[in-house]
Amino acid sequence: MQDYQLNYNNMKTKLLLLSLLAFAAVACNKSDKEADAPRAGDFKGVVTVTFQESDFDNEDISVSYSPSEDGNSAELSIFQIKFVPQMPVTIDVTIPSIKVAAIKDGVSLSCDSVVPLAMGGEYPRYTVTGLSGTIIGDDMTFSLKFGDYPTSFKGKRVK
């Protein structure tokens, strides 16, 4: 009877270990791309525009990050921004065709040159050049030029 009990306990232990291994295999079956790619989301922070050699801070600005389905590109939308203090209205600007690449703990954002969208159309006069940035955890930072105007953003994911 004692041999039977010993075999039964041994079998239970083996079944438990096999179950744990199967669970671990399923849980780790995400692709590297899925694990590294940040999800779409909204960020809030400060956009700084350099105008006439002075920095102009736009506080409490929302930026939306929308990755493509394949995770290789994204678009950024900047909401209710003024590019210079004298600007009488705020506008929404979308930057399409941003390259996304996995880096340690997040992704890098880059774009050599793209025409932004605002007020229902393209704005080639303010072509985006030299965009570079990162999303790591809940932090997003990027810098670029809108035409001749250096612009940067630093913010946190809105939860």
Side-chain angles (χ1 to χ4, degrees):
M1 181 71 161
Q2 197 170 10
D3 283 338
Y4 174 76
Q5 187 68 26
L6 194 58
N7 284 340
Y8 178 73
N9 285 339
N10 228 0
M11 193 182 317
K12 278 179 28 180
T13 303
K14 286 179 183 176
L15 280 173
L16 179 63
L17 284 173
L18 283 173
S19 296
L20 287 172
L21 286 172
F23 177 76
V26 169
C28 292
N29 202 17
K30 274 187 171 181
S31 74
D32 287 343
K33 193 72 164 173
E34 289 173 8
D36 293 332
R39 64 194 182 283
D42 297 320
F43 295 79
K44 196 162 261 214
V46 177
V47 173
T48 302
V49 180
T50 303
F51 174 71
Q52 295 180 345
E53 299 181 24
S54 294
D55 287 344
F56 171 61
D57 288 338
N58 289 267
E59 304 277 340
D60 208 29
I61 297 294
S62 294
V63 173
S64 178
Y65 170 76
S66 302
S68 63
E69 264 188 51
D70 66 8
N72 293 323
S73 65
E75 82 177 19
L76 293 175
S77 295
I78 305 170
F79 298 101
Q80 301 297 298
I81 184 158
K82 283 184 169 190
F83 289 102
V84 296
Q86 299 84 353
M87 197 168 157
V89 296
T90 59
I91 61 170
D92 299 341
V93 178
T94 298
I95 306 166
S97 305
I98 298 168
K99 295 175 195 164
V100 176
I103 58 171
K104 185 180 181 196
D105 300 328
V107 297
S108 69
L109 309 171
S110 64
C111 181
D112 292 332
S113 179
V114 68
V115 176
L117 308 170
M119 298 187 292
E122 294 184 340
Y123 271 80
R125 179 177 174 196
Y126 297 103
T127 295
V128 170
T129 57
L131 186 146
S132 67
T134 59
I135 300 174
I136 298 175
D138 288 335
D139 296 324
M140 174 192 275
T141 60
F142 63 85
S143 61
L144 57 91
K145 276 186 148 183
F146 279 110
D148 294 330
Y149 304 102
T151 304
S152 63
F153 174 79
K154 184 175 183 175
K156 293 236 177 242
R157 185 178 295 274
V158 177
K159 295 185 182 194

